[in-house]
Amino acid sequence: MNSGILLVDKPQGITSHDVVSRVRRAAGTRKVGHAGTLDPLATGLLVLGLNSSTRLLTFLVGLDKTYEATIRLGVATTTDDSEGETTATHDASAVADDAIDAGVRALSGPISQVPTTVSAIKVNGRRAYDLAREGVEVELKARDVTISEFSVLDRRTAEVVDEAGRTVSVRDLDVRVRCSSGTYVRALARDLGAGLGVGGHLTALRRTTVGPFDVADAAVLEGIDVAPALLPPTAVAERLFPVWRMSSDETVDLGHGKRVTVGIDDTAGPVAAVTPSGDLAGLVEVRRGQAVPIVNFPSDEVSA
């Protein structure tokens, strides 16, 4: 099995690790990793790397992402999504559309966000969700994120029964969110509801893009045939980075660790070093006109 990047449309109800395990079995290799988890509740694009292409995952994790989600206003939960226990219920029928729109605008652009308590963030070496399940009170620090789009696509009114058996009206919002890596859409739902005074949580979440990759191009997990679905590492790198197309001599010199002069401007980030045969030899930085290796790819695993 050659190395490559695999786009998978994760179904609801399983973890990202479950997807990795199934792909390992289907591909016949243990060396499979992913570039960012999705909760069991969530569906959509999961980006995997196989064999030497796992080395590319570090550069995929930080890409911007797009989600389609449903936010329920009027109910707050312990996990900020529908898998948690209800902590408060309020009638949201009187929440005006103008107030919702103002709340959405306040949560757009560069914002400071406190992540969801039940998250994979490590606190003193342990995952926050493990501590929360043990009843340990977790206080996570706010982090700066950027919400480049927070659009309300549809609005509906629904009725739920609260803890006291009363029927309460809630508002359901279908939204699209484009955001920087590290954003918690569950936290957006929580903060929107809190700002409106009625509480809120996420009832559905689907990741549709990761950087230039779209869920429309992803393989279905059930019965997946891995080999034909793999994106060659060269093709992936060319979509993400500037490209340095090397001569045969440059390819040999770079492989031997020699300093190679590059005919392109110095870069602040990676450049894809591509061999004459179209293989991805590695990622380099260009400093003072010379290529400085960041990561190399084994010649026996790269794909054109």
Side-chain angles (χ1 to χ4, degrees), residues 223-239:
I224 189 170
D225 188 0
V226 174
L230 279 180
L231 299 176
T234 303
V236 172
E238 288 179 342
R239 295 180 70 177

Side-chain angles (χ1 to χ4, degrees), residues 30-262:
R30 292 290 303 169
K31 200 167 185 181
V32 179
H34 62 74
T37 61
L38 283 173
D39 294 331
L41 170 72
T43 68
L45 185 57
L46 193 64
V47 180
L48 307 181
L50 277 70
N51 296 320
S52 66
S53 286
T54 55
R55 302 179 187 189
L56 280 173
L57 296 178
T58 299
F59 305 93
L60 301 177
V61 170
L63 295 174
D64 289 353
K65 299 170 178 64
T66 307
Y67 297 89
E68 293 178 354
T70 301
I71 296 172
R72 172 156 288 181
L73 298 176
V75 180
T77 73
T78 54
T79 59
D80 302 329
D81 64 22
S82 57
E83 295 190 329
E85 297 179 3
T86 298
T87 58
T89 304
H90 299 279
D91 191 309
S93 60
V95 177
D97 287 346
D98 287 349
I100 292 173
D101 294 340
V104 167
R105 286 194 298 272
L107 292 170
S108 300
I111 65 171
S112 181
Q113 180 187 74
V114 177
T116 298
T117 301
V118 183
S119 68
I121 293 174
K122 286 190 175 181
V123 180
N124 297 325
R126 298 193 61 194
R127 301 290 185 185
Y129 54 66
D130 288 330
L131 294 172
R133 288 168 186 155
E134 295 173 7
V136 178
E137 187 172 342
V138 179
E139 291 187 11
L140 299 177
K141 295 181 180 179
R143 55 172 63 182
D144 294 333
V145 297
T146 299
I147 312 300
S148 55
E149 180 186 356
F150 190 178
S151 301
V152 179
L153 307 177
D154 193 23
R155 311 165 197 244
R156 299 178 300 279
T157 300
E159 292 186 341
V160 300
V161 178
D162 68 8
E163 309 86 77
R166 297 169 299 186
T167 299
V168 178
S169 293
V170 297
R171 300 288 304 275
D172 285 341
L173 311 176
D174 292 336
V175 302
R176 181 170 56 240
V177 176
R178 301 183 195 274
C179 55
S180 60
S181 179
T183 301
Y184 282 85
V185 182
R186 284 181 291 163
L188 286 179
R190 174 201 67 202
D191 293 344
L192 178 62
L196 293 168
V198 294
H201 73 281
L202 209 63
T203 62
L205 181 67
R206 180 167 177 78
R207 187 156 68 196
T208 56
T209 71
V210 175
F213 307 107
D214 196 294
V215 71
D217 301 318
V220 176
L221 183 60
E222 186 68 29
I224 189 170
D225 188 0
V226 174
L230 279 180
L231 299 176
T234 303
V236 172
E238 288 179 342
R239 295 180 70 177
L240 298 174
F241 314 116
V243 178
W244 170 36
R245 300 196 181 277
M246 300 183 293
S247 67
S248 297
D249 289 343
E250 289 170 334
T251 301
V252 172
D253 288 345
L254 187 70
H256 289 164
K258 295 182 180 180
R259 294 191 175 188
V260 182
T261 299
V262 182

